[in-house]
């Protein structure tokens, strides 16, 4: 019975177990499906996460490479800028050194020029002192000879007086007294004249010293101003170069450098062309002068030949004048000797013998162009005729005759120049050969680059020159717009002496009697 009552329970338990077993099987399948579902989602999430990590790493690597490339590019640019700045700085320093060296060379050249000018001034002063000493020695010698002659005459008179009467001795004593008084008066007049001359020379030297001091002060001020201006310009250029180095890049610098080189080359080409043009013009002027001289000589020869033929055809009319003024032929032909109307003068017996040697006393007007326009009013004159030029050696020595090319060339221009006539508007040229002056005579004021050639004139010895009261005078003054001259026969110049020649130059040769027409 017990078995029967427990059977339903067992059946229930068995059914429950079956239900539980069935539910367990169903639950296990659902769990497996859910587990599989969760496992697949986790795998997909893991793959997605790995993919995102890989993409993030790739992006980070790309960004890191970009940063590294930017840093490398920045370092390269910084290095390029540093190299560019160093190159600009080195170039600026080199330009500054070149400018300083150029300035030092210019200052050295100017110092050498000043020393040369000072040496020339000292040489001129020594020559003037030697000339004054020579004049004084000549005067003392003449006075001593006069005293000795008077002593001899007095001794002879005293010896002759011993044999004469007492009355004759008294008369001779009276004459001697009068002569002594006259000599005393002459001595006093000479002393007064010497004193006036000394005062005049002192005043002239003081004026020259004042002019030289003023010119030196002006030149020093101009030089200081020029140096200050150069420094200011150099500083501005340096600042501009530094600013340009900071602002511009390498390509702009290369273009600027190329432009600078091209500009320098163009300037050098223009300067070379200008120098060649100037040299060609100088050669053309020299050739034109030679052609003009040859034409003048030929026309002068033709004129003389016509005059000679006319004189032969008219033997009974010797006073008839030469060819008329209308017979001149064209520009540059030497005109007939002009008739200079001299001022009325005492009748003097003139020497009509042919003169072969002359002294030319020349007075120049100051130049009005180039450096003569602003500087001291002076000149460095030489005179030329045809292929020959004369350089003065002083009023007591013969002038040196040299070829035109050597006198006007750079060797003489940068050397002794006009010698005794340096820095003189008035100068004497002694013992010139008249035959060498057949062509027109032209004074030339020597410069450095371009000489000041004055108007040429045909010069001849002046037979009216004479010595009156110890002074030299000439009735004919050859004059142009910028110069005038006396042509003194050399024998008369020797008789007049150095002092008379210099006195005539100091007086400016007086007022010109007539201005002769200059040959163009």
């Amino acid at each position: 019975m017990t078995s029967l009552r427990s059977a339903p329970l067992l059946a229930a338990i068995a059914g429950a177990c079956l239900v539980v077993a069935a539910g367990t099987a169903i639950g296990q399948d659902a769990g497996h499906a859910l587990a599989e579902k969760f496992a697949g989602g986790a795998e997909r999430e893991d793959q997605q996460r790995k993919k995102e990590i890989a993409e993030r790493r790739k992006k980070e690597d790309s960004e890191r490479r970009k940063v590294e490339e930017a840093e490398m590019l920045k370092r390269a640019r910084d290095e390029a800028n540093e190299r560019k700045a160093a190159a600009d700085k080195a170039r600026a320093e080199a330009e500054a050194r070149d400018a300083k060296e150029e300035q030092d060379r210019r200052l050295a050249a100017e110092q050498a020029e000043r020393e040369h000018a000072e040496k020339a001034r000292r040489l001129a002063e020594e020559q003037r002192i030697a000339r004054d000493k020579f004049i004084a020695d000549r005067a003392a010698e003449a006075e001593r000879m006069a005293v000795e002659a008077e002593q001899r005459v007095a001794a002879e008179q005293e010896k002759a007086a011993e044999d004469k009467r007492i009355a004759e001795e008294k008369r001779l004593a009276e004459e001697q007294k009068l002569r002594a008084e006259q000599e005393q008066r002459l001595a006093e007049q000479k002393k007064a004249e010497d004193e006036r001359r000394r005062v005049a020379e002192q005043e002239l030297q003081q004026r020259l010293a004042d002019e030289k001091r003023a010119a030196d002060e002006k030149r020093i001020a101009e030089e200081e101003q020029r140096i200050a201006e150069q420094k200011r310009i150099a500083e501005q250029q340096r600042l501009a170069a530094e600013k340009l180095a900071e602002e511009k890049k390498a390509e702009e610098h290369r273009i600027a450098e190329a432009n600078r080189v091209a500009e320098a080359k163009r300037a050098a080409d223009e300067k070379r062309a200008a120098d060649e043009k100037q040299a060609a013009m100088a050669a053309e002027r020299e050739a034109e002068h030679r052609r003009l001289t040859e034409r003048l000589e030929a026309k002068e020869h033709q004129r003389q030949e016509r005059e000679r033929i006319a004189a032969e055809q008219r033997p009974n009319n010797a006073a008839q004048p030469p060819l008329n003024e209308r017979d001149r032929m064209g520009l540059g032909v030497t005109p007939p000797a002009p008739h200079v109307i001299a001022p009325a003068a005492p009748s003097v017996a003139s020497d009509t013998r042919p003169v072969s040697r002359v002294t030319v006393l020349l007075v120049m007007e100051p130049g009005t162009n180039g450096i003569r326009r602003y500087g001291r009013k002076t000149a460095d004159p030489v005179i030329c005729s045809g292929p020959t030029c004369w350089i003065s050696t002083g009023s007591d020595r013969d002038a040196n005759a040299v070829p035109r090319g050597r006198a006007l060339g750079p060797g003489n221009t940068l050397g002794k120049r006009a010698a005794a006539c340096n820095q003189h508007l008035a100068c004497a040229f002694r013992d010139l050969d008249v035959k060498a002056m057949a062509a027109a005579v032209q004074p030339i004021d020597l410069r450095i680059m371009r000489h000041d050639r004055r108007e040429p004139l045909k010069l001849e010895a002046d037979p009216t020159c004479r010595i009156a009261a110890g002074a030299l005078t000439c009735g004919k003054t050859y004059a142009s717009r910028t110069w005038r001259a006396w042509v003194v026969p050399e024998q008369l110049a020797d008789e007049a002496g150095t002092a008379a020649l210099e006195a005539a130059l100091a007086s400016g040769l007086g007022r010109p009697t007539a201005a002769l027409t200059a040959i163009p």
Side-chain angles (χ1 to χ4, degrees), residues 35 163 418:
D163 301 331

Side-chain angles (χ1 to χ4, degrees), residues 166-229:
I166 296 176
E168 185 68 13
E169 290 177 351
K170 183 177 180 180
R171 185 180 64 80
L172 292 175
E174 188 67 24
E175 291 179 354
Q176 186 175 4
K177 181 180 179 180
L178 293 174
R179 186 166 56 254
E181 291 176 353
Q182 184 179 6
E183 290 176 354
Q184 184 178 1
R185 287 195 300 272
L186 292 175
E188 291 175 353
Q189 292 176 357
K190 182 177 182 298
K191 183 178 180 181
E193 183 66 20
D194 292 340
E195 182 65 18
R196 287 195 298 271
R197 186 181 298 108
R198 184 183 64 80
V199 171
E201 289 179 352
Q202 288 179 352
E203 293 177 351
L204 177 61
Q205 291 177 358
Q206 181 65 29
R207 186 169 65 254
L208 294 176
D210 294 340
E211 292 176 355
K212 182 179 183 298
R213 183 170 61 256
D216 291 341
E217 292 175 353
K218 181 180 179 182
R219 180 180 52 76
I220 291 172
E222 291 176 351
E223 182 65 18
E224 291 176 351
Q225 183 179 3
R226 185 179 60 80
I227 293 174
E229 182 67 17

Side-chain angles (χ1 to χ4, degrees), residues 146-162 172-173 175-177 179-180 183:
V147 171
E148 290 178 355
E150 290 174 358
Q151 290 176 353
R152 287 195 300 271
V153 171
E156 292 175 358
Q157 289 176 352
E158 290 176 357
K159 183 178 179 181
E162 293 176 355
L172 292 175
E175 291 179 354
Q176 186 175 4
K177 181 180 179 180
R179 186 166 56 254
E183 290 176 354

Side-chain angles (χ1 to χ4, degrees), residues 36 118 132 192 268 366 391 479 481:
E36 289 178 356
E118 180 64 20
D132 294 343
I391 301 175
R481 184 176 57 85

Side-chain angles (χ1 to χ4, degrees), residues 221-366:
E222 291 176 351
E223 182 65 18
E224 291 176 351
Q225 183 179 3
R226 185 179 60 80
I227 293 174
E229 182 67 17
Q230 289 179 351
K231 289 182 179 179
R232 185 183 65 79
I233 294 173
E235 182 66 17
Q236 291 178 352
Q237 291 177 351
R238 183 183 65 80
L239 295 175
E242 291 177 354
K243 184 176 180 181
L244 183 65
E246 294 172 357
E247 294 177 354
K248 289 189 177 181
K249 295 181 181 180
E251 183 64 18
E252 294 175 343
H253 172 69
R254 185 185 63 80
I255 295 173
E257 186 68 15
N259 291 336
R260 187 185 65 80
V261 171
E263 182 66 19
K265 182 178 179 181
R266 184 186 63 78
D269 293 339
E270 290 178 355
K271 184 176 183 300
R272 183 170 61 255
D275 294 340
E276 292 174 355
K277 182 178 179 180
Q278 185 176 4
M281 291 175 64
E284 183 179 356
R285 285 197 300 271
E286 290 293 335
E288 182 64 23
H289 185 79
R290 286 194 296 270
R291 291 194 297 271
L292 178 61
T293 302
E294 293 173 358
R295 289 176 57 190
L296 292 175
E297 292 176 350
K299 295 301 181 182
E300 180 66 16
H301 179 72
Q302 293 176 3
R303 184 183 65 81
Q304 294 176 357
E305 185 65 21
R306 288 197 300 270
E307 291 178 355
R308 185 185 62 79
I309 295 174
E312 291 176 355
Q313 293 176 356
R314 296 189 299 271
N316 296 327
N317 192 8
Q320 185 173 357
L323 295 177
N324 192 282
E325 183 72 9
R326 66 177 181 270
D327 291 334
R328 293 184 296 176
M329 299 175 60
L331 180 63
V333 178
T334 304
H339 298 282
V340 179
I341 302 174
S347 177
V348 179
S350 60
D351 190 356
T352 59
R353 291 176 298 176
V355 178
S356 60
R357 316 292 293 189
V358 295
T359 288
V360 175
L361 302 181
L362 174 67
V363 176
M364 302 272 284
E365 294 294 334

Side-chain angles (χ1 to χ4, degrees), residues 302-462:
Q302 293 176 3
R303 184 183 65 81
Q304 294 176 357
E305 185 65 21
R306 288 197 300 270
E307 291 178 355
R308 185 185 62 79
I309 295 174
E312 291 176 355
Q313 293 176 356
R314 296 189 299 271
N316 296 327
N317 192 8
Q320 185 173 357
L323 295 177
N324 192 282
E325 183 72 9
R326 66 177 181 270
D327 291 334
R328 293 184 296 176
M329 299 175 60
L331 180 63
V333 178
T334 304
H339 298 282
V340 179
I341 302 174
S347 177
V348 179
S350 60
D351 190 356
T352 59
R353 291 176 298 176
V355 178
S356 60
R357 316 292 293 189
V358 295
T359 288
V360 175
L361 302 181
L362 174 67
V363 176
M364 302 272 284
E365 294 294 334
T368 58
N369 55 7
I371 193 173
R372 302 294 193 208
R373 184 187 309 172
Y374 307 105
R376 181 182 173 189
K377 301 303 182 183
T378 185
D380 299 329
V382 299
I383 58 176
C384 298
S385 178
T388 305
C389 291
W390 289 271
I391 301 175
S392 174
T393 59
S395 57
D396 57 345
R397 288 192 292 260
D398 298 345
N400 290 331
V402 298
R404 175 185 285 265
R406 191 170 72 185
L408 305 182
N412 184 62
T413 301
L414 300 177
K416 67 179 183 178
R417 298 175 63 78
C421 291
N422 283 331
Q423 305 296 314
H424 284 76
L425 289 172
C427 194
F429 296 84
R430 297 293 305 273
D431 197 28
L432 306 187
D433 187 1
V434 174
K435 294 181 180 179
M437 299 167 58
V441 176
Q442 181 182 39
I444 299 176
D445 180 9
L446 296 183
R447 304 286 181 84
I448 298 299
M449 295 297 295
R450 181 177 296 175
H451 303 315
D452 184 6
R453 291 171 169 83
R454 304 297 177 89
E455 301 90 337
L457 290 178
K458 184 69 172 66
L459 302 185
E460 296 177 351
D462 185 3

